[in-house]
Amino acid sequence: MFDKILIANRGEIALRILRACKELGIATVAVHSTADADAMHVRLADESVCIGPPPSKDSYLNIPALLAACEITGVDAVHPGYGFLSENARFAEILADHNLHFIGPKAEHIRLMGDKIEAKKTAQRLGIPVVPGSDAAIIPDQDAMAIAKAIGFPVLVKAAAGGGGRGMKVAHTEEDLALALTTAANEARSAFGDASVYLEKYLQKPRHIEIQVLGDGRGGAIHLGERDCSLQRRHQKVWEEGPSPALDAAARARIGLAVAKAMQQLKYLGVGTVEFLYEDGEFYFIEMNTRIQVEHPVTELITGIDLVKAQLLIAAGEKLPYTQSDVQIRGHAIECRINAEDAKTFMPSPGPIRLWHAPGGPGVRVDSHIYSGYNVPPNYDSLIGKVIAHAETREAAIARMKNALAEMVVEGIKTNIALHQEIFNHAAFRSGGQDIHYLERRLGLR
């Protein structure tokens, strides 16, 4: 097992990793920008190192500063969390060059799955169903229209690199295609430094289903059920739950076993999430995230498996701690992302928190790094915490979540708690009938 780990992240995921390390007796080093000097994970870590000013490029994305922090503190491994450098294959290689363990997949798999076109080709090769579309990056002036006509409108133009909804545009007709291609390519160039785009069939009302996987890097791999992330705004997840109310046992077993088999063939190492669109009983691969996910607590609560601890154990060279038969889905879990933003306009709301009270009770979990007096910086993602409710049934989990959000107090800034409470009133949500466009249609946000 590792002796000391540097946590190359911030916020609630940094605190989550720190707690897992403490349970395993691993010393921790927190890194932080000047804006995060008073962060909770910095206060609780065994050591801390300031790595730069607030902009991410000068701190959490600053590889030389992170390497310097590793050297002066004598760590033997780095956990990247999610976001920032968590899916940067070059960062993993640089750490290896300095005899440091990257707690994540092999660099080759990060690079492979980071390129959406190559990831799609790999998924097809491994027997995973994919969305119909182009097999390679397209040249807008030459083959885009021919491919789009072959697929059939509407089509989705997507960035080959990156994710998070950036570099994605819909062309409903032939007349829309040129503008969609230009806009998506410009967004992709700005966000990822790569203007490459490709085309996919635009599904009208799909659900977003993702399969959690865990592999040992030697051919052993299992799946841990699915999460339904269909409640989204502008391709950003708002609410996640598991198991999906849209799947029956046969569909769940079919896609889960297909993904596990693919990860075995790939000899995947660590945790990962294979994401699908699901429509009319069919699954279509869209991407794989080679890291821990924001919504991992949903899986932890319905399986009883600590994903971060499993991630640490596997990275340290231990055997896969579970077999597929060990994975039993128990009950239902729902996660609400709590953001520092206006619930109606979605404008960010940074600033000092005057009062913070976390909800509690049976089956309620809160993952958050904030506290009374904490100042939410304007420099990063607006996520300030997650409330997760677990119960025997979906209806009971919803009831617990409603109570938890009613108890939650965050004063001094605006949050999106009211948005989650509004969702409870939607008949389609209560029946489990939402698709990925549902929330935007229902709230008039498109």
Side-chain angles (χ1 to χ4, degrees), residues 117-171:
I117 295 171
E118 290 303 315
K120 184 176 177 180
K121 291 179 180 178
T122 301
Q124 286 181 297
R125 177 173 58 82
L126 296 175
I128 296 176
V130 302
V131 181
S134 56
D135 295 325
I138 59 175
I139 303 171
D141 294 334
Q142 294 181 20
D143 55 3
M145 184 60 73
I147 294 172
K149 287 181 178 179
I151 298 170
F153 285 93
V155 297
L156 182 63
V157 184
K158 297 181 69 174
R166 289 172 293 181
M168 294 175 61
K169 296 296 172 184
V170 179

Side-chain angles (χ1 to χ4, degrees), residues 371-393:
Y371 53 87
S372 295
Y374 175 73
N375 188 67
V376 178
N379 314 90
Y380 312 109
D381 184 275
S382 63
L383 182 71
I384 58 172
K386 306 172 305 197
V387 180
I388 311 97
H390 179 240
E392 291 187 5
T393 66

Side-chain angles (χ1 to χ4, degrees), residues 33 50 152 162 166 172 177 185 205 232 281 301 365-367 371 417 421 431:
S33 69
C50 181
R166 289 172 293 181
H172 292 278
L177 185 58
K205 291 186 177 181
Q232 301 179 12
L301 289 177
R365 167 175 164 178
V366 178
D367 283 17
Y371 53 87
I417 292 174
Q421 293 172 322
S431 67

Side-chain angles (χ1 to χ4, degrees), residues 109-282:
H109 291 157
I110 299 174
R111 185 170 285 112
L112 178 66
M113 292 302 170
D115 184 319
K116 300 300 184 290
I117 295 171
E118 290 303 315
K120 184 176 177 180
K121 291 179 180 178
T122 301
Q124 286 181 297
R125 177 173 58 82
L126 296 175
I128 296 176
V130 302
V131 181
S134 56
D135 295 325
I138 59 175
I139 303 171
D141 294 334
Q142 294 181 20
D143 55 3
M145 184 60 73
I147 294 172
K149 287 181 178 179
I151 298 170
F153 285 93
V155 297
L156 182 63
V157 184
K158 297 181 69 174
R166 289 172 293 181
M168 294 175 61
K169 296 296 172 184
V170 179
H172 292 278
T173 66
E174 294 181 18
E175 290 72 24
D176 298 335
L177 185 58
L179 179 59
L181 287 164
T182 300
T183 306
N186 288 340
E187 282 189 10
R189 183 185 296 108
S190 175
F192 315 120
D194 183 350
S196 301
V197 297
Y198 64 106
L199 295 181
E200 281 186 348
K201 177 65 178 175
Y202 181 67
L203 301 178
Q204 299 292 326
K205 291 186 177 181
R207 299 183 76 108
H208 185 131
I209 306 292
E210 57 187 33
I211 308 296
Q212 178 71 60
V213 296
L214 184 63
D216 61 12
R218 297 184 290 270
I222 60 172
H223 74 89
L224 294 94
E226 86 283 354
R227 298 183 290 257
D228 193 317
C229 308
S230 299
L231 279 175
Q232 301 179 12
R233 171 185 171 268
R234 295 178 180 173
H235 308 291
Q236 299 292 325
K237 299 169 185 175
V238 173
W239 171 299
E240 301 97 355
E241 61 181 302
S244 170
L247 301 189
D248 59 21
R252 179 172 296 115
R254 171 165 57 92
I255 195 62
L257 292 175
V259 169
K261 182 179 179 181
M263 295 302 104
Q264 291 163 8
Q265 294 180 61
L266 197 61
K267 295 186 178 180
Y268 186 76
L269 173 67
V271 299
T273 302
V274 183
E275 306 203 0
F276 296 89
L277 294 180
Y278 178 72
E279 188 174 73
D280 297 330
E282 298 296 332

